[in-house]
């Protein structure tokens, strides 16, 4: 080693330097949030080359994203003053003398290309992306004669990918006796792999599993790469899946002839990707997998205030599946965390945006300083509405703006086609959405005929007119295709006929019912599909709000007649809202994102929203809680809290509307886990503070008893409850008038007339003060709980 320490070592703290100086043998570095893990990891790689004279090409570092790999290469290049390292990892690898730093997939692809002779593929094999993979799954279903309506192709694709994450081959699947899906999956997976091979193709999951099997089954190849990669480094080890774990084991474990020189860096408290296949046991069991492993804990946080670190630590310590470490910081104490309770989701959005505007105005903050986090992307809509209204530029990170999401565009195109069936663009989008067997060839034939009619000056030169001609016995399409087109045309005509008689929200549910749109998404069962369902739930909320605002100033006697105005007015407003989303992307903009997208980022001021039982944590009252699910949600909360550098806001609503139901929300359990001296509580859900928000939203906030999921929320087709006359029930201007008195038990047996649910009787009372809840039974033994203060005005006098 050289006599004096280079600058990249002198800047390390004691624990970081300890991790850098442990050279041989297995090492696990438990790197807490904001503790400088990338700095430590790149300093370690630099030190191996610079101080210990390890040839660069014998050092391997794997991570999960190209961005992270590029940052690591850049830091090593600067530390060693060797700029070629930053751009050295091309398709064929880094070159002699340079460390190999890349993603799991990039590293494995290089191995597969080099060792192609040991695989069943020729050198020209191709990689199938998600769309290629789905197309092949559909082909396999046709080949096997399996109905793709009964077994959703995307659902099967997701299941195959999950098995590949676990390195499970088709022949290893053992379906349960009565598990029809797994029996079908086994057949499809087996044929899919045969067809992949026949096409000389591999998919993304196969890149990892094929490399693992290559090393497992070929002693010489395995020994070659054990020697080549004499020092292994793995970033974000808590996010590795089973296949990645097995791959690393082949290179490092002594039982396979490995050298044991593996350094893994991660934080089990930030393991939030179980739904992607990440296995937290990989990091928790590292010392068992590698006996004699040394442990270094990076516990000093350089990012956040003492208050934020103390609060986040108090939350995460409630998890049992974790290592013993405690985050600390030398940063200032900072301001208390603001816990704000709002009346509803609109009030939450108004409060958050109001605080952002105030801090920007009074403290000179740039909008770049702010981030809004939410559990699901569907929550973004309320914030987008308020931000757009106030002309604040924003960016949705890791997702699309609400009106740009596929399912929202699909529904809007149904609305446009119902209002104007000659809108060829909208009709073309929905003609096979959801899939109804009307393919591109059919659409091309219809458009070809449409163009011919247009050149002749025919009055029906649009897609709808051409479609109707195709149903009259013309030779534009075959008889079988004409039958499918006829079914679609009948659907549109039926919806057109019903549209003038229904509320817009009722028309929406009719579309979902008739098309099976939600049913197909639920059958697909992927995370993406379920996120689309959540967006459709939020769209229902949007429609209900729109109807309430529309009818608010219209006399009761006129409402039935004026229903027909809803559809054109909503289409106009949604189009303007969608166009207004674009904004000026050159201006400073606040960031909005799901909590999963926030990992690895940091912001001066963070708003962590929707902290309510059933939403975040996303465990419903009627679901059986699994400890591992609760702990993953708590880790997600910890990740969100530790993104904040200076200020943290945590918000929750008293009520939230989903699928048109207005439900009482319990505050998230995480609030009870935060020390009181770390919190400043603002109750803005009633009293004078609530008057600035939409009092009209507070017209009866209920949730069904545990075990009784809402009919509307549980229906696969989102079946709507019986039609009601719209109109917003007016809540009192002064919410304090509804505060419970000391004799709340006297309300048991009282009758009331609720504007949404009708006549009911109070069965029981629980709690006290402003949070007193009552259980009411309505017609049909429909029992719901309400906050007493919000429904007192509906009691019989």
């Amino acid at each position: 080693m050289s006599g004096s320490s280079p600058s990249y070592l002198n800047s390390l703290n004691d624990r970081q330097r300890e991790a850098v100086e442990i050279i041989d043998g297995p090492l696990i570095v438990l790197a807490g949030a904001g503790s400088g893990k990338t700095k430590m990891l790149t300093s370690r790689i630099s030190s191996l080359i610079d101080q210990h004279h390890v040839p660069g090409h014998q050092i391997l570092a794997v991570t999960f994203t190209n961005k992270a790999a590029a940052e690591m290469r850049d830091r090593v290049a600067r530390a060693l003053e060797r700029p070629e390292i930053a751009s050295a990892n091309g398709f064929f690898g880094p070159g002699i003398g340079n460390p190999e730093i890349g993603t799991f997939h990039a590293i494995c692809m290089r191995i597969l290309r080099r060792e192609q002779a040991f695989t069943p593929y020729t050198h020209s094999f191709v990689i199938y992306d998600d769309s290629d993979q789905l197309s092949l799954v559909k082909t396999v279903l046709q080949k096997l004669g399996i109905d793709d309506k009964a077994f959703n192709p995307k659902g099967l694709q997701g299941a195959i990918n999950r098995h590949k994450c676990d390195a499970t081959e088709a022949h290893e699947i053992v379906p349960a006796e009565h598990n029809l899906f797994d029996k079908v999956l086994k057949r499809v997976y087996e044929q899919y792999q045969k067809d992949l091979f026949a096409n000389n193709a591999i998919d993304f999951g196969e890149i990892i599993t094929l490399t693992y099997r290559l090393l497992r089954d070929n002693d010489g190849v395995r020994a070659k790469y054990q020697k080549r990669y004499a020092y292994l480094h793995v970033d974000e080890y808590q996010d590795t899946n089973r296949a990645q774990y097995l791959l690393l084991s082949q290179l490092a474990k002594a039982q396979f002839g490995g050298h044991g020189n593996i350094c893994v860096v991660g934080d089990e408290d930030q393991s939030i990707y179980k739904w992607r296949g990440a296995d937290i046991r990989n990091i928790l069991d590292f010392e068992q997998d590698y006996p004699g492993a040394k442990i270094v804990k990076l516990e000093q946080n350089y990012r956040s205030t003492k208050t934020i670190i103390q609060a986040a630590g108090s939350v995460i310590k409630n998890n049992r599946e974790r290592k013993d470490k405690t985050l600390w910081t030398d940063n200032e104490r900072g301001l208390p965390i603001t816990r704000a309770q709002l009346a509803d989701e609109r009030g939450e959005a108004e409060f958050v945006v109001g605080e952002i505007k105030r801090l920007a105005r009074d403290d000179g903050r740039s909008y770049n300083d702010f981030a809004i986090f939410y559990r699901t992307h569907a929550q973004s809509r309320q914030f987008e509405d308020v931000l757009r209204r106030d002309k604040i530029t924003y960016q949705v990170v890791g997702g699309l703006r609400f009106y740009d999401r596929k399912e929202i565009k699909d529904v809007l195109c149904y609305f446009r086609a119902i209002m104007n069936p000659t809108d060829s663009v909208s009709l073309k989008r929905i003609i096979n959405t959801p899939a109804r067997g009307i393919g591109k060839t059919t659409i091309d034939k219809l458009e070809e005929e449409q163009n011919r009619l247009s050149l002749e000056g025919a009055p029906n030169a649009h897609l709808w007119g051409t479609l109707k001609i195709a149903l009259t016995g013309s030779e534009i399409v075959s008889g079988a295709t004409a039958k499918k087109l006829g079914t679609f045309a009948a659907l549109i005509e039926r919806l057109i006929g019903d549209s003038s008689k229904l509320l817009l929200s009722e028309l929406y549910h009719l579309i979902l019912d008739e098309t099976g749109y939600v049913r197909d998404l639920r059958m697909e069962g992927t995370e993406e599909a379920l996120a689309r369902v959540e967006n459709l739930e939020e769209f229902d909320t949007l429609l209900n709000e729109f109807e309430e605002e529309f009818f608010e100033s219209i006399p009761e006697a006129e409402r039935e007649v004026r229903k027909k105005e809803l559809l054109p007015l909503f289409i106009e407003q949604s189009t303007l809202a969608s166009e207004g989303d674009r904004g000026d992307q050159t201006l400073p903009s606040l960031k909005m994102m799901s909590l999963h997208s926030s990992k690895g980022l940091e912001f001066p001021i963070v708003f962590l929203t929707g902290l309510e039982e059933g939403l975040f944590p996303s465990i419903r009252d009627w679901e059986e809680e699994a400890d591992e699910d609760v702990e993953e949600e708590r880790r997600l909360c910890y990740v969100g809290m530790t993104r904040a550098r200076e200020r943290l806001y945590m918000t929750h609503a008293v009520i939230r509307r989903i699928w048109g139901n207005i439900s009482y929300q319990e505050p998230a359990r995480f609030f009870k886990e935060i020390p009181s001296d770390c919190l400043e509580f603002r109750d803005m859900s009633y009293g004078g503070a609530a008057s600035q928000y939409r009092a009209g939203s507070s017209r009866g906030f209920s949730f069904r008893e545990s075990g009784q999921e809402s009919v509307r929320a549980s229906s696969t087709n989102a079946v709507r409850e019986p039609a009601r006359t719209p109109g917003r029930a007016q809540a009192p201007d002064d919410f304090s008038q509804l505060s419970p008195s000391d004799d709340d038990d006297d309300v048991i047996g009282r009758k009331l007339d609720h504007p949404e649910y009708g006549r009911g009787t109070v069965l029981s009372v629980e709690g006290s003060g402003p949070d007193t809840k009552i259980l009411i039974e309505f017609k049909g033994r429909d029992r719901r709980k309400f906050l007493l203060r919000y429904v007192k005005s509906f009691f019989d006098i």
Side-chain angles (χ1 to χ4, degrees):
M1 294 176 62
S2 55
S4 59
S5 298
S7 59
Y8 62 82
L9 292 180
N10 291 333
S11 63
L12 301 175
N13 65 33
D14 290 345
R15 296 286 77 76
Q16 290 171 334
R17 185 147 187 163
E18 179 185 359
V20 166
E21 291 177 346
I22 296 174
I23 302 304
D24 298 316
L27 168 67
I28 179 170
V29 181
L30 299 174
S35 62
K37 72 175 179 65
T38 303
K39 181 179 183 180
M40 180 283 301
L41 193 53
T42 53
S43 295
R44 178 183 166 87
I45 294 170
S46 301
S47 179
L48 282 171
I49 296 171
D50 183 38
Q51 301 289 294
H52 299 276
H53 310 296
V54 175
H57 62 274
Q58 290 189 345
I59 299 171
L60 173 66
V62 289
T63 187
F64 281 85
T65 67
N66 290 318
K67 180 181 178 182
E71 181 183 0
M72 288 173 65
R73 287 197 296 269
D74 184 61
R75 289 199 187 192
V76 172
R78 282 187 279 116
L80 298 180
E81 298 182 348
R82 289 173 51 183
E84 72 275 9
I85 292 176
S87 56
N89 279 34
F91 182 80
F92 293 104
I96 298 298
N98 294 322
E100 191 157 354
I101 303 172
T103 64
F104 273 97
H105 286 93
I107 300 298
C108 287
M109 276 304 301
R110 289 176 198 146
I111 294 174
L112 291 175
R113 291 294 184 190
R114 295 186 195 115
E115 311 301 335
Q116 169 269 321
F118 292 92
T119 75
Y121 297 92
T122 69
H123 194 270
S124 58
F125 70 83
V126 296
I127 303 171
Y128 276 6
D129 62 16
D130 283 347
S131 61
D132 298 325
Q133 184 186 30
L134 181 60
S135 178
L136 184 57
V137 169
K138 291 178 178 178
T139 300
V140 168
L141 289 177
Q142 290 180 335
K143 184 180 294 187
L144 297 178
I146 296 172
D147 185 1
D148 62 3
K149 293 292 189 294
F151 296 93
N152 188 284
K154 283 192 175 181
L156 290 165
Q157 178 190 26
I160 289 171
N161 288 337
R162 287 191 292 274
H163 279 296
K164 291 196 175 189
C165 282
D166 291 335
T168 303
E169 298 185 64
H171 67 86
E172 295 174 315
I173 297 175
V174 182
E177 182 179 353
H178 301 294
N179 192 326
L180 182 58
F181 180 84
D182 277 0
K183 291 179 180 178
V184 170
L185 171 63
K186 183 180 178 72
R187 290 179 61 207
V188 172
Y189 190 1
E190 288 173 343
Q191 187 61 48
Y192 171 83
Q193 287 299 118
K194 292 176 183 176
D195 287 2
L196 266 185
F197 176 69
N199 294 344
N200 198 34
I202 63 175
D203 58 35
F204 276 98
E206 194 74 7
I207 291 174
I208 307 293
T209 58
L210 185 59
T211 308
Y212 156 63
R213 291 194 295 270
L214 170 69
L215 298 176
R216 180 195 66 188
D217 299 337
N218 297 276
D219 294 345
V221 175
R222 183 173 65 250
K224 172 183 175 180
Y225 284 94
Q226 288 170 344
K227 181 178 180 181
R228 178 185 179 112
Y229 300 136
Y231 292 90
L232 298 178
H233 301 79
V234 189
D235 192 19
E236 304 286 9
Y237 190 63
Q238 77 280 351
D239 294 334
T240 52
N241 59 34
R242 178 69 178 171
Q244 291 160 340
Y245 164 83
L246 292 172
L247 172 70
L248 294 167
S249 297
Q250 290 294 317
L251 294 172
K253 278 191 174 181
Q255 69 188 87
F256 305 119
H259 43 63
N261 296 330
I262 180 171
C263 169
V264 302
V265 184
D267 181 9
E268 79 288 350
D269 290 336
Q270 297 184 69
S271 178
I272 59 174
Y273 297 120
K274 176 185 173 185
W275 53 279
R276 287 185 188 169
D279 187 351
I280 194 174
R281 300 309 317 174
N282 292 348
I283 191 168
L284 293 176
D285 296 341
F286 184 81
E287 295 96 313
Q288 293 174 231
D289 290 331
Y290 296 91
K294 296 176 180 174
I295 306 171
V296 175
K297 301 177 184 179
L298 303 186
E299 297 171 297
Q300 182 175 2
N301 176 280
Y302 292 93
R303 177 187 300 155
S304 306
T305 65
K306 282 186 171 69
T307 297
I308 293 171
I309 293 303
Q310 181 185 354
S314 297
V315 170
I316 199 63
K317 74 178 183 181
N318 289 279
N319 275 5
R320 292 194 295 269
E321 294 289 335
R322 65 186 299 264
K323 303 281 189 178
D324 179 26
K325 65 179 185 299
T326 303
L327 217 55
W328 62 275
T329 184
D330 277 336
N331 293 341
E332 62 182 12
R333 179 72 187 169
L335 294 170
I337 295 167
T338 299
R339 172 191 171 187
Q341 175 173 281
L342 291 311
D344 58 13
E345 66 268 24
R346 183 68 174 200
E348 181 180 46
E350 295 280 7
F351 169 76
V352 169
V353 176
E355 282 293 284
I356 290 171
K357 290 165 63 180
R358 183 184 68 80
L359 292 170
R361 180 188 66 242
D362 297 347
D363 296 356
R365 290 286 188 176
S366 165
Y367 287 131
N368 288 329
D369 290 345
F370 300 97
I372 301 172
F373 298 161
Y374 34 74
R375 181 63 179 82
T376 70
H377 278 295
Q379 292 169 253
S380 77
R381 199 269 302 178
Q382 293 285 352
F383 297 104
E384 291 188 60
D385 283 352
V386 179
L387 290 166
R388 193 167 48 243
R389 181 199 68 194
D390 291 353
K391 296 180 172 57
I392 296 176
T393 306
Y394 66 93
Q395 294 178 358
V396 178
V397 178
L400 296 171
R401 293 167 182 258
F402 188 76
Y403 284 100
D404 288 338
R405 294 167 192 171
K406 178 186 181 301
E407 56 281 4
I408 304 305
K409 285 187 170 183
D410 289 345
V411 171
L412 287 174
C413 282
Y414 269 101
F415 280 172
R416 292 190 180 105
I418 291 167
M419 186 181 76
N420 173 25
T422 63
D423 174 2
S424 296
V425 172
S426 295
L427 203 68
K428 183 178 178 180
R429 183 181 182 100
I430 64 173
I431 197 169
N432 197 42
T433 303
R436 46 178 65 94
I438 302 173
K440 182 178 183 301
T441 301
T442 299
I443 296 172
D444 288 345
K445 288 179 180 179
L446 292 174
E447 290 185 321
E448 185 179 335
E449 179 67 11
Q450 176 187 342
N451 293 335
R452 186 186 68 78
L453 292 171
S454 179
L455 291 173
E456 293 177 357
N460 57 349
H462 42 71
L463 191 61
W464 178 249
T466 310
L467 187 156
K468 298 300 285 291
I469 291 172
L471 301 180
T472 60
S474 70
E475 297 182 356
I476 299 174
V477 296
S478 68
T481 300
K483 185 176 180 181
K484 296 174 183 176
L485 291 174
T487 301
F488 172 71
L491 166 66
I492 297 300
E493 288 173 337
R494 190 161 61 251
L495 292 171
I496 291 172
D498 290 337
S499 62
S500 62
K501 298 175 288 186
L502 297 174
L503 292 170
L504 190 57
S505 55
E506 292 169 341
L507 177 63
Y508 169 61
H509 282 269
L510 184 61
I511 291 169
L512 298 183
D513 289 344
E514 292 285 328
T515 62
Y517 198 108
V518 174
R519 179 200 63 216
D520 287 357
L521 288 173
R522 293 195 188 281
M523 284 179 61
E524 183 180 323
T526 63
E527 289 292 329
E528 179 187 358
L530 296 179
R532 294 192 189 283
V533 173
E534 290 170 348
N535 289 329
L536 291 170
E537 291 174 354
E538 181 60 24
F539 191 77
D540 181 77
T541 299
L542 184 157
L543 293 177
N544 277 271
E545 290 174 353
F546 175 79
E547 288 171 357
E548 289 175 354
E549 291 170 3
F550 177 81
F551 285 110
E552 190 170 27
S553 58
I554 296 175
E556 184 88 26
E558 298 179 23
R559 291 177 181 174
E560 188 67 29
V561 177
R562 298 190 62 178
K563 279 182 182 179
K564 61 180 181 292
E565 298 175 29
L566 285 167
L567 181 57
L569 184 59
F570 179 78
I571 289 175
E572 178 183 329
Q573 290 195 10
S574 62
T575 301
L576 293 174
S578 182
E579 287 304 310
D581 272 352
R582 307 293 174 254
D584 184 351
Q585 297 304 308
T586 64
L587 296 174
S589 59
L590 68 85
K591 306 300 185 291
M592 298 172 57
M593 67 195 76
S594 71
L595 281 154
H596 285 99
S597 296
S598 73
K599 179 102 181 315
L601 303 177
E602 58 182 73
F603 300 91
I605 303 170
V606 165
F607 291 84
L608 186 52
T609 65
L611 281 143
E612 301 146 25
E613 291 293 311
L615 179 60
F616 182 33
S618 61
I619 299 165
R620 306 290 183 183
D621 291 345
W622 54 85
E623 292 176 338
E624 182 178 345
E625 289 188 4
D627 287 345
E628 60 184 23
D629 293 334
V630 174
E631 295 209 350
E632 177 122 348
E633 292 291 304
R634 189 174 282 112
R635 291 193 292 269
L636 200 54
C637 182
Y638 173 79
V639 166
M641 294 175 74
T642 55
R643 301 310 95 192
R645 293 206 299 260
E646 301 169 30
R647 296 201 65 174
L648 175 62
Y649 290 77
M650 302 175 76
T651 66
H652 59 102
V654 174
I655 59 97
R656 194 172 293 271
R657 176 155 32 190
I658 300 174
W659 280 129
N661 282 333
I662 302 178
S663 303
Y664 175 80
Q665 301 291 98
E666 294 282 358
R669 66 193 72 189
F670 308 135
F671 288 120
K672 297 177 182 177
E673 299 169 355
I674 299 175
S676 58
D677 62 348
C678 291
L679 287 174
E680 171 197 49
F681 180 50
R682 299 188 200 175
D683 188 353
M684 311 186 72
S685 61
Y686 70 100
S691 62
Q692 61 186 298
Y693 302 123
R694 298 170 67 249
S697 294
S698 309
R699 58 183 178 133
F701 318 117
S702 75
F703 67 98
R704 295 206 172 200
E705 290 188 282
S706 297
Q708 297 187 33
E709 184 178 359
S710 159
V711 171
R712 196 176 301 164
S714 64
S715 169
T716 55
N717 289 339
V719 178
R720 188 155 179 83
E721 294 174 2
R724 56 181 171 81
T725 301
R728 180 184 298 167
Q730 295 301 311
D733 291 332
D734 183 4
F735 278 48
S736 63
Q737 296 173 10
L738 302 183
S739 297
S741 61
D742 293 333
D743 59 351
D744 285 331
D745 284 344
D746 292 342
V747 301
I748 295 176
R750 290 279 301 274
K751 305 288 185 182
L752 80 165
D753 194 4
H754 193 278
E756 176 97 12
Y757 304 107
R759 296 289 293 173
T761 304
V762 179
L763 299 183
S764 64
V765 178
E766 65 181 76
S768 60
D771 291 327
T772 301
K773 294 191 288 288
I774 58 174
L775 177 64
I776 301 174
E777 183 174 282
F778 296 98
K779 185 178 179 181
R781 300 187 62 80
D782 181 10
R783 296 184 177 187
R784 294 175 179 269
K785 284 183 181 177
F786 297 78
L787 277 179
L788 175 58
R789 55 188 162 96
Y790 286 134
V791 294
K792 266 194 169 183
S793 61
F794 304 139
F795 282 113
D796 292 347
I797 298 174

